[in-house]
Amino acid sequence: MSRRSGYDESLAVTTLRIRSALPENIADLFARCSGKTAVLPVSPSRGAKIAAVDGSNAAVLESGSMTISAVRAGGVLFRDGEIDRKRTPLLLVSSGSGEGADDFSHLYRECFRCDPGKTLGDDEQAMLASLARDILEYWMAGEVLESLERGDLLLLDGALRVSHESLDPELTRLIGRAERKGVLLAAVAKRTAATFGDGYPLLPAIAAYAAKLGRASPWWVKVDETILDQTRFSQWQHGEVHVASLHQHTGIPIKIELPVKQSRERTEQTFSLLAGCADDGRIPGYPFPLLEAHRTVVIGQPVLGQVRQDMIAALDREGIDFSRYAMMFGDYHDEFRRY
């Protein structure tokens, strides 16, 4: 096979694969699987404080035996046209094989004043950075929640579920505190892998379904999760899946999870406030408090570069010169990029 013909064939096969995942009748397929789910209208409102929490993690240094990652979380609070920002310090966590410092348990104790119910096993070390970010996010969410009152809205990034047993009590407590205070809670996903009917993507299907029904945005749909192909970590799931299109001039929907068994009234209030804060011209249809939370905490290349320089300087003070640093963390890919 020639290089060109091989590429052309691969391109054609991939295109057909995408085409098969997005058939012309995808709206009918969703209706058939979901039993003609209701697409409900939203009336945007702005009469409450809205807070949002997000976190970030990124690898700083990697070797064959150790990964050092930077993590942090932050929260923003919008009220009366003003914005307050909070952010944790930038923290470093180390994961690798063999015995070493248990950064997961240390950070857990720092945030929640107790030991985790389950520590990380050797086969879970690759999850350390994302779990450390989750710890900081739940801690920050608890801090921000103190400033909210009945009828206000707290937004989390992602889903109302955890990916490790030890964090389940913390998410449970956070949801319970919000409910007792009368604060509305929602988790908004930047993207989702949710599919139905053996591989059809959920969001394009519901968008096509709403369009076929003639429903103008903003709208919301509660998804019967029995139609989904799979759910991750269902044993630690505390949210019910919804899909919403939040802006009249964009039909792109997003996946949103709300606490299980929430009343219809609280659900409608939540979507009303979500639509009321999804009119930012930068990303219409996405709640701008979460955009600002992301911008507050994102760990970009300038930050990573500074942390690496700080690490090299700190190692030098410990008697580890650059040549030994390069033996530990050097990567021929870095050299390849020069050519």
Side-chain angles (χ1 to χ4, degrees):
M1 131 180 115
S2 71
R3 271 180 248 150
R4 186 67 205 175
S5 66
Y7 171 74
D8 289 343
E9 180 180 349
S10 179
L11 182 64
V13 168
T14 303
T15 302
L16 286 174
R17 189 169 293 139
I18 295 172
R19 174 71 274 177
S20 66
L22 293 169
E24 294 294 337
N25 68 334
I26 195 169
D28 297 326
L29 292 172
F30 177 76
R32 194 178 309 154
C33 286
S34 67
K36 298 184 179 180
T37 297
V39 180
L40 301 166
V42 177
S43 299
S45 68
R46 297 175 176 81
K49 289 180 287 187
I50 299 179
V53 172
D54 198 3
S56 183
N57 64 276
V60 177
L61 297 172
E62 293 183 273
S63 73
S65 60
M66 179 183 293
T67 298
I68 298 172
S69 300
V71 296
R72 67 183 175 192
V76 297
L77 176 63
F78 286 82
R79 54 183 169 189
D80 301 326
E82 297 183 353
I83 177 173
D84 293 331
R85 300 178 188 268
K86 295 183 177 182
R87 189 167 65 185
T88 69
L90 190 68
L91 302 177
L92 299 179
V93 295
S94 304
S95 59
S97 57
E99 295 294 326
D102 185 358
D103 288 341
F104 175 79
S105 296
H106 174 73
L107 185 58
Y108 196 101
R109 284 191 293 269
E110 283 287 304
C111 289
F112 305 130
R113 300 291 185 257
C114 64
D115 290 324
K118 180 183 179 184
T119 58
L120 294 190
D122 290 341
D123 59 341
E124 297 174 314
Q125 285 296 311
M127 302 169 60
L128 174 61
S130 62
L131 290 175
R133 180 200 64 215
D134 291 345
I135 289 173
L136 293 178
E137 285 188 35
Y138 292 143
W139 178 84
M140 178 59 70
E143 293 292 297
V144 171
L145 183 58
E146 291 296 321
S147 302
L148 300 180
E149 301 169 342
R150 179 172 296 276
D152 293 337
L153 174 63
L154 174 58
L155 299 177
L156 305 180
D157 177 71
L160 290 180
R161 60 168 163 72
V162 300
S163 52
H164 192 267
E165 178 182 342
S166 60
L167 288 172
D168 192 56
E170 301 309 322
L171 179 56
T172 300
R173 274 191 280 271
L174 179 67
I175 294 171
R177 284 180 59 199
E179 184 176 3
R180 288 190 295 273
K181 292 191 71 173
V183 173
L184 304 169
L185 182 65
V188 180
K190 294 186 180 77
R191 65 177 180 177
T192 178
T195 60
F196 73 100
D198 198 20
Y200 297 111
L202 182 67
L203 299 190
I206 294 181
Y209 175 71
K212 185 167 184 176
L213 293 179
R215 301 291 193 268
S217 298
W219 48 256
W220 66 275
V221 169
K222 183 176 180 180
V223 178
D224 179 355
E225 294 183 47
T226 62
I227 75 168
L228 299 181
D229 292 329
Q230 61 181 354
T231 56
R232 298 184 66 223
F233 308 113
S234 57
Q235 69 272 37
W236 304 314
Q237 179 74 33
H238 296 276
E240 294 178 330
V241 174
H242 298 70
V243 172
S245 176
L246 297 174
H247 193 277
Q248 60 181 332
H249 295 308
T250 177
I252 301 175
I254 53 179
K255 182 176 81 70
I256 298 168
E257 290 190 10
L258 305 182
V260 296
K261 299 179 180 178
Q262 180 170 266
S263 70
R264 175 68 173 270
E265 179 184 9
R266 285 174 65 84
T267 296
E268 290 178 343
Q269 289 174 345
T270 301
F271 281 114
S272 182
L273 290 173
L274 280 166
C277 68
D279 58 352
D280 190 293
R282 293 169 295 178
I283 309 180
Y286 186 83
F288 63 75
L290 275 170
L291 170 61
E292 290 302 320
H294 171 79
R295 294 178 67 241
T296 298
V297 299
V298 64
I299 302 172
Q301 287 302 318
V303 175
L304 289 176
Q306 183 60 58
V307 175
R308 290 188 187 106
Q309 292 303 311
D310 292 342
M311 284 292 304
I312 291 171
L315 289 169
D316 185 66
R317 291 192 295 271
E318 290 295 319
I320 300 176
D321 61 21
F322 187 78
S323 63
R324 284 198 287 169
Y325 160 85
M327 288 181 206
M328 179 73 171
F329 295 108
D331 186 343
Y332 278 114
H333 287 96
D334 295 333
E335 299 300 316
F336 293 168
R337 293 186 190 101
R338 296 167 56 192
Y339 301 98

